[in-house]
Amino acid sequence: MSKAESSETIGHPVRSQRRTGSTSQLDAGTPSSDSGLKVVDLRKSFQAPSGERIDVLRGVTLSLDAGESVAITGASGSGKSTLLQLLGGLDIADHGTISLGQKNLAHGENWEASKLGLSKIGFIFQFHYLLPDLSAVENVALPLLIGRCKTTSALFRARHALSELGLENRADHPVNHLSGGEQQRVAVARALIGKPVLVLADEPTGNLDAAISEEIGRTLTLYARTQRALVVVSTHNERLARLCDRVLMLKDGRIHSS
């Protein structure tokens, strides 16, 4: 085992913090989000089957500093998922700017997410979207392997990531043999394994019990602080929202202080 391998971590989630009493163990390769995330006058509409235009986002403006976690709350259908999809480049805004550091992510052909690479943006969804034919450790290692990391190093880092989330004894199990809470923790490890500078979590604890929800929430907020990353969580879970540095509400297509 090399020193380089032993230093790889997903950011000391809750379990490791309790064990070691440390809140940070960064290495020289810690990613940086530079000046943070800035969203200005973001607008998005959709056309209903009737032909009517539905304005979902009507001028969203917000900013995050490096190391900050923010919860986005709001009623179902208020546009929380749409906002996260725009921030992550899964959809294109009708109007407005999204800046991550010095890069503008908002507009179609100029969208820079592909250049940021898999290690820069991490996604967590309510459903885990794990590959059923792979084991837990193989699912976590997949982003590293796609990024051409050596197999031995990728699997070592994936095992370490699962260990930090309390899943060291489940690493080689098929994911369909895991409980729902275990599957979601595997999904969290997969999202963080590449040390993304921006983590987007869309209702990440919607199907989980209170204890697992809190563990995942603390893992994400601690990751933001220790890695100087940006974490945006959309949620209906008030306990999860309170773990974040700020809570904002999306209502009538705009962001409001909660």
Side-chain angles (χ1 to χ4, degrees):
M1 184 188 309
S2 71
K3 290 182 180 179
E5 286 178 325
S6 65
S7 69
E8 296 291 355
T9 177
I10 63 171
H12 263 290
V14 173
R15 185 171 176 272
S16 293
Q17 183 183 0
R18 288 199 298 264
R19 183 175 63 245
T20 64
S22 171
T23 59
S24 175
Q25 198 175 67
L26 305 181
D27 59 65
T30 297
S32 172
S33 53
D34 298 320
S35 57
L37 177 71
K38 187 173 183 180
V39 179
V40 178
D41 198 23
L42 201 65
R43 299 172 185 267
K44 181 67 178 180
S45 62
F46 298 95
Q47 187 168 1
S50 64
E52 177 188 6
R53 297 298 297 181
I54 299 174
D55 295 323
V56 179
L57 303 180
R58 302 178 180 179
V60 168
T61 294
L62 63 90
S63 62
L64 279 77
D65 295 325
E68 187 176 17
S69 57
V70 171
I72 307 293
T73 64
S76 296
S78 61
K80 300 187 301 297
S81 295
T82 298
L83 175 59
L84 265 63
Q85 288 167 8
L86 296 177
L87 296 180
L90 301 180
D91 202 351
I92 301 169
D94 298 333
H95 177 81
T97 61
I98 305 170
S99 300
L100 180 61
Q102 302 302 313
K103 293 186 179 295
N104 179 11
L105 310 184
H107 298 294
E109 67 275 7
N110 296 322
W111 196 79
E112 295 285 347
S114 61
K115 296 180 182 178
L116 293 177
L118 290 174
S119 67
K120 301 302 183 183
I121 301 177
F123 295 93
I124 305 167
F125 302 98
Q126 183 171 349
F127 184 73
H128 53 74
Y129 294 110
L130 300 173
L131 298 183
D133 294 334
L134 301 182
S135 67
V137 70
E138 290 168 337
N139 268 279
V140 176
L142 192 58
L144 300 179
L145 295 172
I146 293 173
R148 299 186 179 181
C149 179
K150 291 183 178 179
T151 301
T152 53
S153 178
L155 291 173
F156 176 86
R157 290 170 60 180
R159 287 184 185 280
H160 184 63
L162 289 171
S163 177
E164 289 194 322
L165 287 165
L167 294 174
E168 60 269 31
N169 295 326
R170 304 290 267 163
D172 295 306
H173 289 231
V175 293
N176 58 0
H177 291 184
L178 306 182
S179 69
E182 289 171 333
Q183 290 172 338
Q184 192 66 337
R185 279 183 282 168
V186 173
V188 170
R190 179 184 59 187
L192 302 185
I193 189 69
K195 296 186 178 180
V197 298
L198 174 61
V199 179
L200 302 170
D202 191 4
E203 294 286 356
T205 64
N207 298 324
L208 306 179
D209 63 37
I212 296 299
S213 296
E214 183 164 345
E215 180 174 350
I216 287 176
R218 291 190 183 279
T219 296
L220 293 175
T221 56
L222 188 62
Y223 177 84
R225 292 196 299 272
T226 59
Q227 300 294 324
R228 298 289 294 163
L230 306 155
V231 171
V232 183
V233 182
S234 74
T235 185
H236 290 102
N237 187 324
E238 292 184 4
R239 292 182 61 182
L240 173 61
R242 288 196 297 267
L243 293 173
C244 296
D245 296 317
R246 281 191 291 152
V247 180
L248 303 174
M249 177 178 288
L250 185 57
K251 183 179 180 180
D252 298 326
R254 295 181 175 88
I255 289 290
H256 305 267
S257 296
S258 180

